[in-house]
Amino acid sequence: MSSSAEIRVLTTPQELFASAAEEVVRLANQAVAERGRFTIALAGGSTPKSLYNLLATNARTTLPWDRTYFFWGDERHVPPADPDSNYRMADEAMLSKVPVPPGNVFRVPAENPDAAVAAKEYESTLRKFFQLEPGQLPRFDLILLGMGPDGHTASLFPGTAGLQEKSRLVIANWVEKLKTHRLTFTLPVLNAARSVAFLVSGTDKAPVVRAVLEETVPGEQHPAKLVQPTDGKLIWFLDRAAASGLSLQK
Ligand code: 6PG
């Protein structure tokens, strides 16, 4: 693990989300002050929902919502109203409750039955928004990530082709064990961010947290290990349960 990773172990999940929310607000105000806007890619799954709820209630007046631009680091291949949609989760938990202009929200067009076309469309959205030259990467102010028990992050699962992608920004990654495509940022996009924050909670994640942060397993087996921002900050927000396998916790 790169020595530049900052590991924050909080006693409870509530403290984890409070600490993460504080960091989001701090980065948002810093980005707006320095560059006039804050670009954030949201994580999916269940863990970040509590963070989004907290931001919607406690950061209503402190986060510059009108200067914040929301993207998703990955999305399931389902329509936005589907219970599995990462967009739907973030919209219900946060976006529908805060004064963010609809034009600031860029969801993945995952309703497209052709996952490859959806990925290409989202990639074009990124290229246009960030006004990218060919070969240039988008530099998000913050990318939020979760991690599965198998070490996957975003929708980069162990053993999937997506791990090898070095030029595309967004791909439709076939995940054999889920028998579905997932739409996901590629590693170059994750590693181009100014800040990347992992949010990991619960005892079930303790073994993989230890493997990623303290063991020398190859990244292909635990893709989260491959997230090493080239010129950015990496922060792991862990609660004590998720960190319980770490030697620093002994
Ligand atoms: C997704 C996420 C995925 C998630 C991990 C952890 O679309 O599911 O992007 O990478 O972060 O699977 O999920 P939990 O937070 O639900 O444990």
Side-chain angles (χ1 to χ4, degrees):
M1 173 52 58
S2 136
S3 55
S4 64
E6 179 189 337
I7 300 172
R8 290 192 203 174
V9 180
L10 291 306
T11 311
T12 64
Q14 292 69 28
E15 287 179 18
L16 185 164
F17 299 121
S19 178
E22 221 174 271
E23 186 68 15
V24 173
V25 172
R26 187 186 71 78
L27 289 171
N29 285 293
Q30 181 184 37
V32 168
E34 290 174 3
R35 292 177 294 280
R37 71 184 189 187
F38 176 51
T39 56
I40 180 172
L42 299 177
S46 55
T47 303
K49 188 170 180 179
S50 304
L51 169 61
Y52 303 158
N53 279 319
L54 201 54
L55 288 170
T57 47
N58 293 12
R60 192 173 174 74
T61 57
T62 53
L63 198 142
W65 298 99
D66 61 329
R67 310 291 288 274
T68 299
Y69 297 83
F70 289 93
F71 297 80
W72 276 259
D74 73 319
E75 184 56 277
R76 285 79 183 277
H77 189 203
V78 295
D82 190 291
D84 281 348
S85 163
N86 289 335
Y87 162 79
R88 174 172 164 175
M89 183 272 279
D91 186 51
E92 288 178 345
M94 175 172 65
L95 299 176
S96 59
K97 302 172 182 168
V98 294
V100 61
N104 288 27
V105 178
F106 298 87
R107 70 173 181 79
V108 182
E111 66 276 18
N112 190 320
D114 186 331
V117 171
K120 281 200 179 71
E121 268 180 34
Y122 204 50
E123 177 157 329
S124 314
T125 299
L126 292 185
R127 290 194 181 287
K128 207 164 112 203
F129 180 85
F130 285 95
Q131 299 177 321
L132 300 177
E133 297 297 327
Q136 216 183 357
L137 292 167
R139 187 161 164 74
F140 281 88
D141 292 308
L142 175 60
I143 297 181
L144 296 176
L145 292 173
M147 181 170 66
D150 60 357
H152 82 261
T153 190
S155 286
L156 298 168
F157 286 75
T160 58
L163 293 177
Q164 314 311 324
E165 180 57 53
K166 300 284 182 272
S167 52
R168 296 284 308 280
L169 307 181
V170 183
I171 55 166
N173 197 23
W174 176 256
V175 185
E176 183 56 27
K177 74 174 183 180
L178 302 177
K179 296 279 187 262
T180 183
H181 281 105
R182 286 281 195 91
L183 298 151
T184 185
F185 282 2
T186 57
L187 280 166
V189 174
L190 301 182
N191 287 329
R194 283 191 178 83
S195 289
V196 177
F198 277 95
L199 309 170
V200 188
S201 167
T203 317
D204 65 316
K205 303 284 179 74
V208 70
V209 165
R210 176 193 167 86
V212 168
L213 294 182
E214 291 190 341
E215 290 166 13
T216 51
V217 292
E220 271 60 33
Q221 287 173 20
H222 295 84
K225 205 176 178 66
L226 300 173
V227 177
Q228 304 277 347
T230 317
D231 175 20
K233 195 171 165 192
L234 176 60
I235 313 175
W236 286 79
F237 289 93
L238 306 171
D239 61 13
R240 191 175 280 175
S244 55
L246 294 178
S247 49
L248 57 88
Q249 286 304 301
K250 298 293 178 239

